[in-house]
Structures are given as C-alpha cells and as structure tokens.
Amino acid sequence: QGQLVESGGGSVQTGGSLRLSCTVSGYIDRTVIMGWFRQALGKEREGVAVIYTRAGRTYYADSVKGRFTISQDSAKNTLYLQMNSLKPDDAAVYYCAADTGSSVYSHYDVRRFTTWGQGTQVTVSS
C-alpha cells in the first residue's frame, strides 16, 4: 500500500495563489490515477482535479477550471496542485488521493480512490 503526504496549505487573501504538493511513496510505479479533493466544513468531500498518471490526461471541476492546474513530477514522485485566483469558496481541507486499478466509479467519486493523504488546510480570507 502506498503512502501520500500533502504539504503547501496555508492562509491567503482572495486572489492569491498556493501550490499544494503530494509526495507519493510505496507504489508510485503502479498508480493509474491521482487526484485532489477538498472538503469544506459541513460539506461533502468533492473532486477538484484528477490526472491519469500514465496518459497525462487531466480533468477539472467546473468551479476551478482555468484557475487550478494539476501536474506530476515522476522523478520526484510528487503530485502538485497550483491554485491561482483563490476565492473564499476554495477554503477547505485539501486531500491527495491515488489508485492503482480500474474502477466503476467516476474519477470525481471518492470511492474511486483507495489511498488518501492526511489533508492540508487552505484558508482564503476576503
């Protein structure tokens, strides 16, 4: 089983930027898909951005399209989420997720992923 460790969260003002990192260990060569999810207080966890690691295809939730960019650095075993033009609605705990196989679930469905990081807090002040 792999391990995911997020970092890079923090507090910014509206319009600011942050870059989240997710370091992968244990099974990087077998990952098929990785993603970033977020969970705001009192809300369900939602998919933000995903990447199919072998093909490099990326997908974004409509709420972040054009502002967030997901990328991977295979040499560093790291997944990134560059977040620009942050809004108060983006405030949440952000989680990195990964999986090594196929699934019947959508890539925005939390059930699609079997391995999760511990989360990193992002706060956006107006």
Side-chain angles (χ1 to χ4, degrees):
Q1 190 76 5
Q3 184 177 11
L4 309 176
V5 178
E6 303 99 332
S7 61
S11 182
V12 296
Q13 292 187 329
T14 297
S17 297
L18 283 173
R19 188 176 78 160
L20 305 183
S21 299
C22 173
T23 302
V24 184
S25 62
Y27 70 175
I28 182 64
D29 292 340
R30 295 187 286 116
T31 60
V32 172
I33 183 173
M34 296 192 69
W36 288 98
F37 287 71
R38 67 186 181 187
Q39 187 166 18
L41 194 63
K43 295 187 178 181
E44 292 187 353
R45 193 171 298 189
E46 62 173 357
V48 173
V50 298
I51 183 168
Y52 286 84
T53 54
R54 296 175 185 176
R57 296 193 311 272
T58 58
Y59 298 88
Y60 298 91
D62 287 343
S63 59
V64 306
K65 206 169 291 184
R67 300 187 298 121
F68 290 12
T69 302
I70 187 171
S71 62
Q72 58 180 341
D73 185 332
S74 300
K76 296 182 179 179
N77 294 343
T78 303
L79 180 74
Y80 299 102
L81 184 68
Q82 178 67 43
M83 306 186 295
N84 299 327
S85 302
L86 283 161
K87 307 174 182 179
D89 284 349
D90 295 319
V93 177
Y94 281 71
Y95 296 90
C96 174
D99 199 73
T100 59
S102 59
S103 174
V104 299
Y105 299 112
S106 157
H107 51 229
Y108 289 138
D109 192 318
V110 296
R111 294 170 293 181
R112 172 67 180 86
F113 297 85
T114 55
T115 303
W116 293 83
Q118 82 288 351
T120 185
Q121 178 72 51
V122 171
T123 303
V124 184
S125 57
S126 57

